[in-house]
Amino acid sequence: MKEQTRQLGRPPAGRPSPTLEDLATAAGVSRSTASRAINGGLKVSPQAQAAVDAAIVALGYTPNRAARSLVTKRTASIALVIPEPDARVMMDPFFAAVITGVNEALRGTDMQLVLLMSRAGDDSARTMRYLRGGHVDGAIVVSHHRADDWAETLARTGLPTVLIGRPWDTGLGVPFVDLDNFEGGRLAARHLASIGRSNLGTVAGPADMTAAADRLEGWKQGLREAGLRPGPVSHGDFTTAGGADAARNLLAEVPELDGVFAASDLMALGVIETLRSLGREVPRDVAVVGFDNHGLTAGNGLDLTTVTQPMVDMAVTAGRLLVRRIEDPETSTEPVIYPAELVVRASTAGLPPKRREGSS
Amino acid sequence: MKEQTRQLGRPPAGRPSPTLEDLATAAGVSRSTASRAINGGLKVSPQAQAAVDAAIVALGYTPNRAARSLVTKRTASIALVIPEPDARVMMDPFFAAVITGVNEALRGTDMQLVLLMSRAGDDSARTMRYLRGGHVDGAIVVSHHRADDWAETLARTGLPTVLIGRPWDTGLGVPFVDLDNFEGGRLAARHLASIGRSNLGTVAGPADMTAAADRLEGWKQGLREAGLRPGPVSHGDFTTAGGADAARNLLAEVPELDGVFAASDLMALGVIETLRSLGREVPRDVAVVGFDNHGLTAGNGLDLTTVTQPMVDMAVTAGRLLVRRIEDPETSTEPVIYPAELVVRASTAGLPPKRREGSS
DNA sequence: GATCGATCTGGGAGCGCTCTCATGTACCGA
DNA sequence: TCGGTACATGAGAGCGCTCCCAGATCGATC
């Protein structure tokens, strides 16, 4: 109770850093000129510029961001919103890639990355308040369960926003960066069909995520095109354990399974684990295709055929797009869709299948 | 060139958010009273408090951080400095855990996490300038290469700092959180000895990192205590590929190798990969102990014996410690060392070794 | 030689907040 | 009734910066 009024804490100890006033005095110019010199030097004489530059070095001057942003209304920072429980962030290289990519996009800018990990419920309200509070100039939001309404809410606040991954509602004018997940699923189906597999099943992602839904739709389409029957679908949660469980479901439904498409590499890992533990060999008995192409399967003694998802590149693009939209809100809101590509490796090595069936 | 003077960008569009003045007017009190009500309500009458609270909700008021921090000299944000090339961050769950943990520690605070990933050279100067510029209230620095002098430099600036991982120079008065790496290495050695292995080698981490050095020293000490000869040491870079290469070196030096301690789980994975590709079975021919205990080895069909490193907990502790030090710079700078524990799993299953040798 | 840009400069206001200080109000005991 | 002591309040200054605007300087032009 007694500390209540001190909740903002005491100011830091050390000696105060030089102000613009100090800088101007040291350079022998006015505060205004010093300010101009710092911010790009338009209408500043070469001598004044040089004097200011020298003084900056001499004093070790750094502009006070708070003061600057108080008047410019800009904070020189953007938020990366990761609306997932933390445990998931830990294990999924996807988020690491996103962080890396966004950071990379900010290189050369003076922008900083503020990380907002927001869990369920109340926490997300807090996050939302922070975003609306003008504490950042823009936001990149990752992921999109059907339930969360980030896209919609942010669209209304007018805060420049870029999504990574297609939102359920694309009519909000919020640009997004995504992979062609549909095509990825389709490629997986066609590939498995092309190596002669016909009893195919898929471990899809959570049904409330667009990426998962798109991959599944593409998969079905691919099967249709190859003249194969739809086959069983089991949903996992993108984790290894989830994949392992889902694989058991598939086998229960179709014991003669000879090909599986898992909507993430992690789930593919789980699938392989289950298959092996049940005595099926990969790829001889069952061929497996994953999704993501992060190198995690290296230690597995089996290279995984997978659909590439250039996560870092996508995040870089999202970051750059956001910066552009902050500078110029009129920038196009066209989504950026990366093409999906299949990387064929050992887990679908072209061994002849046990028996052939109608490739139509 | 023409845009030079506009580098700060234009102010955001939308309607301006309510100010404290607006809030005070709406609540029928003065700005001062409104401010007090917001900051803990000491010396504010219940009526005034209630009026302000209501107005906050009604207006959707959020304090302007810039204005606040301009006067308080506090920014309500801390930096997490990760001085590693980004590629490494991507693959190593260690950093994901750190981010998660620090974030967790900030929960309940109004502090935000600013992520500073700084690469070699010039970039680290920029980062340093940012940290000294008073843009954050404190910093958590992950790292520990001998070359970087973060600890020293930051200690001099007076910015509250907490390190994750012991720095080479512990005499700077900068607190750190670390695992008892020495004991971890020692436990690995004693365990391998205890299951009867005697031709032991280790894949150590980079020689310029304290964690790697400590684990190696502990390992040597453990071997001495078990009456075993030192055995070969090969250095890896904490990655799977590095572990795989290092394992080849060990085998070249000691073909009869029957136990390996790898200083990270990722390297242990590489070691196992190499061993298997050369026809050695794990654990029958060679027992393998890892370090970190992150669940990545699950998909491997082999559970890894490893030394636990509660990374998330450690990061939480570091975060809390930093917050405490920001609030009260007099807080103890005692390091926090987590005990190392060995988790025995299948990769060192107690099969009888091929032949016994002096367990002294 | 006077006029007109074009270029550069400094004064000053004000961003939204916190915090000091002086003042106002209520209630105690004398 | 009066001084004293709490507590509650509002006025005002000022944090460090940007940016508007008015003034100064300098050629070039009429």
Side-chain angles (χ1 to χ4, degrees), chain B residues 170-247:
Chain B
T170 55
L172 298 163
V174 180
F176 61 91
V177 176
D178 204 354
L179 186 78
D180 189 344
N181 286 299
F182 181 91
E183 183 62 17
R186 188 164 157 271
L187 284 172
R190 295 175 67 92
H191 173 63
L192 285 170
S194 79
I195 61 168
R197 306 299 169 117
S198 53
N199 293 303
L200 305 180
T202 184
V203 178
D208 71 337
M209 298 177 69
T210 53
D214 292 355
R215 288 170 198 179
L216 181 56
E217 284 311 308
W219 163 257
K220 287 179 180 169
Q221 170 73 14
L223 290 182
R224 262 195 303 278
E225 289 173 10
L228 297 174
R229 58 171 192 276
V233 176
S234 182
H235 287 273
D237 59 358
F238 279 144
T239 69
T240 307
D245 290 346

Side-chain angles (χ1 to χ4, degrees), chain B residues 20 35 61 64 68:
Chain B
L20 184 59
S35 175
Y61 172 79
N64 180 317
R68 174 179 278 179

Side-chain angles (χ1 to χ4, degrees), chain B residues 77-127:
Chain B
S77 64
I78 68 164
L80 175 58
V81 183
I82 299 184
E84 294 280 352
D86 299 359
R88 192 169 139 68
V89 174
M90 267 208 51
M91 291 314 300
D92 197 335
F94 178 75
F95 293 105
V98 167
I99 291 173
T100 305
V102 172
N103 220 301
E104 176 62 30
L106 261 34
R107 191 168 301 276
T109 321
D110 69 336
M111 297 239 174
Q112 291 299 334
L113 217 202
V114 175
L115 208 61
L116 259 36
M117 303 214 285
S118 123
R119 301 208 249 201
D122 165 78
D123 217 43
S124 90
R126 245 178 54 98
T127 303

Side-chain angles (χ1 to χ4, degrees), chain B residues 271-295:
Chain B
V271 168
I272 291 172
E273 204 176 324
T274 294
L275 289 171
R276 283 179 171 169
S277 75
L278 296 176
R280 315 278 178 121
E281 238 181 71
V282 178
R284 198 196 62 191
D285 302 328
V286 185
V288 177
V289 176
F291 207 111
D292 283 345
N293 193 37
H294 53 56

Side-chain angles (χ1 to χ4, degrees), chain A residues 19-20 35 61 64 68:
Chain A
T19 73
L20 185 58
S35 174
Y61 172 78
N64 180 317
R68 173 178 281 180

Side-chain angles (χ1 to χ4, degrees), chain A:
Chain A
M1 267 317 210
K2 78 179 234 291
E3 273 280 300
Q4 252 188 335
T5 200
R6 290 244 39 104
Q7 79 174 42
L8 296 175
R10 70 207 62 197
R15 54 156 173 50
S17 45
T19 73
L20 185 58
E21 192 74 58
D22 301 336
L23 182 73
T25 308
V29 299
S30 75
R31 203 177 59 250
S32 306
T33 301
S35 174
R36 272 189 293 264
I38 286 169
N39 295 307
L42 205 56
K43 301 209 176 183
V44 174
S45 67
Q47 311 85 287
Q49 182 73 55
V52 172
D53 287 346
I56 288 174
V57 175
L59 299 183
Y61 172 78
T62 326
N64 180 317
R65 264 174 124 87
R68 173 178 281 180
S69 94
L70 180 57
V71 34
T72 59
K73 309 286 186 210
R74 310 230 300 109
T75 64
S77 64
I78 69 165
L80 175 58
V81 182
I82 300 183
E84 294 281 351
D86 299 0
R88 192 171 138 68
V89 174
M90 265 205 54
M91 290 314 299
D92 198 333
F94 178 75
F95 293 106
V98 167
I99 291 174
T100 305
V102 173
N103 220 302
E104 175 63 29
L106 262 33
R107 190 168 302 277
T109 321
D110 69 335
M111 297 237 173
Q112 291 299 336
L113 216 204
V114 176
L115 208 61
L116 259 37
M117 302 213 286
S118 123
R119 301 206 249 199
D122 166 78
D123 217 45
S124 91
R126 246 177 52 96
T127 303
M128 200 57 227
R129 214 171 332 123
Y130 182 81
L131 291 174
R132 310 177 50 150
H135 303 314
V136 290
D137 297 337
I140 291 181
V141 182
V142 177
S143 166
H144 349 255
H145 292 275
R146 192 191 293 276
D148 50 53
D149 50 355
W150 293 99
E152 195 189 336
T153 317
L154 284 173
R156 269 206 310 264
T157 67
L159 184 75
T161 305
V162 172
L163 305 177
I164 292 184
R166 180 171 68 81
W168 281 98
D169 184 350
T170 56
L172 299 163
V174 180
F176 61 90
V177 177
D178 203 354
L179 186 78
D180 189 342
N181 287 299
F182 180 90
E183 182 62 17
R186 189 165 157 270
L187 284 172
R190 295 177 65 92
H191 173 63
L192 286 170
S194 79
I195 61 169
R197 306 298 169 120
S198 52
N199 293 303
L200 306 179
T202 185
V203 177
D208 71 337
M209 297 178 68
T210 54
D214 292 355
R215 288 171 199 178
L216 180 57
E217 284 312 308
W219 163 257
K220 288 178 179 169
Q221 170 73 14
L223 290 182
R224 263 194 303 277
E225 289 173 8
L228 297 175
R229 58 170 191 274
V233 176
S234 182
H235 287 272
D237 58 358
F238 279 146
T239 68
T240 306
D245 289 346
R248 262 183 285 276
N249 296 340
L250 295 183
L251 284 169
E253 216 169 317
V254 181
E256 67 276 23
L257 199 71
D258 62 8
V260 176
F261 165 51
S264 82
D265 283 355
L266 248 30
M267 291 200 297
L269 230 57
V271 169
I272 292 174
E273 204 177 322
T274 293
L275 290 171
R276 283 179 173 168
S277 74
L278 296 177
R280 315 278 177 121
E281 238 180 71
V282 178
R284 201 197 57 192
D285 301 329
V286 185
V288 177
V289 177
F291 206 114
D292 284 345
N293 192 37
H294 54 55
L296 274 190
T297 43
N300 206 21
L302 173 68
D303 284 338
L304 190 65
T305 293
T306 193
V307 178
T308 58
Q309 177 165 28
M311 302 176 288
V312 176
D313 291 350
M314 288 166 62
V316 170
T317 298
R320 297 226 177 101
L321 194 54
L322 180 61
V323 170
R324 229 185 7 255
R325 280 189 58 76
I326 289 171
E327 282 166 359
D328 174 16
E330 304 308 318
T331 304
S332 154
T333 61
E334 274 305 296
V336 179
I337 310 288
Y338 278 72
E341 277 171 48
L342 188 78
V343 183
V344 179
R345 299 211 187 88
S347 72
T348 59
L351 298 178
K354 286 173 294 183
R355 55 171 193 277
R356 294 222 61 159
E357 268 189 26
S359 81
S360 183

Side-chain angles (χ1 to χ4, degrees), chain B:
Chain B
M1 264 322 209
K2 78 178 234 291
E3 271 284 299
Q4 251 187 336
T5 201
R6 290 244 41 103
Q7 79 176 42
L8 296 176
R10 70 209 61 198
R15 54 156 173 49
S17 44
T19 71
L20 184 59
E21 193 73 56
D22 300 335
L23 181 73
T25 307
V29 299
S30 75
R31 205 175 56 245
S32 308
T33 301
S35 175
R36 272 188 294 264
I38 287 169
N39 296 307
L42 204 55
K43 302 209 176 185
V44 174
S45 67
Q47 311 85 288
Q49 182 74 53
V52 172
D53 287 345
I56 289 176
V57 175
L59 298 183
Y61 172 79
T62 326
N64 180 317
R65 263 174 126 86
R68 174 179 278 179
S69 93
L70 180 57
V71 33
T72 59
K73 310 286 185 209
R74 310 227 302 107
T75 63
S77 64
I78 68 164
L80 175 58
V81 183
I82 299 184
E84 294 280 352
D86 299 359
R88 192 169 139 68
V89 174
M90 267 208 51
M91 291 314 300
D92 197 335
F94 178 75
F95 293 105
V98 167
I99 291 173
T100 305
V102 172
N103 220 301
E104 176 62 30
L106 261 34
R107 191 168 301 276
T109 321
D110 69 336
M111 297 239 174
Q112 291 299 334
L113 217 202
V114 175
L115 208 61
L116 259 36
M117 303 214 285
S118 123
R119 301 208 249 201
D122 165 78
D123 217 43
S124 90
R126 245 178 54 98
T127 303
M128 201 56 228
R129 214 172 332 123
Y130 182 80
L131 291 175
R132 309 178 50 149
H135 303 315
V136 290
D137 297 336
I140 291 182
V141 182
V142 175
S143 146
H144 4 250
H145 289 278
R146 193 191 292 278
D148 48 53
D149 49 356
W150 293 99
E152 196 188 335
T153 317
L154 284 174
R156 269 206 309 265
T157 68
L159 185 75
T161 305
V162 172
L163 305 177
I164 293 184
R166 180 171 68 81
W168 282 98
D169 185 350
T170 55
L172 298 163
V174 180
F176 61 91
V177 176
D178 204 354
L179 186 78
D180 189 344
N181 286 299
F182 181 91
E183 183 62 17
R186 188 164 157 271
L187 284 172
R190 295 175 67 92
H191 173 63
L192 285 170
S194 79
I195 61 168
R197 306 299 169 117
S198 53
N199 293 303
L200 305 180
T202 184
V203 178
D208 71 337
M209 298 177 69
T210 53
D214 292 355
R215 288 170 198 179
L216 181 56
E217 284 311 308
W219 163 257
K220 287 179 180 169
Q221 170 73 14
L223 290 182
R224 262 195 303 278
E225 289 173 10
L228 297 174
R229 58 171 192 276
V233 176
S234 182
H235 287 273
D237 59 358
F238 279 144
T239 69
T240 307
D245 290 346
R248 263 183 283 277
N249 296 340
L250 295 184
L251 283 169
E253 217 172 316
V254 181
E256 69 275 23
L257 197 72
D258 63 6
V260 176
F261 165 50
S264 82
D265 283 355
L266 248 31
M267 291 200 296
L269 230 55
V271 168
I272 291 172
E273 204 176 324
T274 294
L275 289 171
R276 283 179 171 169
S277 75
L278 296 176
R280 315 278 178 121
E281 238 181 71
V282 178
R284 198 196 62 191
D285 302 328
V286 185
V288 177
V289 176
F291 207 111
D292 283 345
N293 193 37
H294 53 56
L296 273 191
T297 44
N300 206 21
L302 174 68
D303 283 339
L304 191 64
T305 293
T306 193
V307 178
T308 56
Q309 175 163 28
M311 301 176 289
V312 176
D313 291 351
M314 288 167 62
V316 170
T317 299
R320 297 227 176 99
L321 195 53
L322 180 61
V323 170
R324 224 175 22 249
R325 281 187 60 77
I326 288 170
E327 281 165 0
D328 174 16
E330 305 308 319
T331 304
S332 154
T333 62
E334 273 306 296
V336 178
I337 310 289
Y338 277 72
E341 276 171 51
L342 188 78
V343 182
V344 179
R345 299 209 186 90
S347 72
T348 59
L351 299 178
K354 286 175 294 184
R355 55 174 191 279
R356 295 221 58 155
E357 270 190 24
S359 80
S360 184

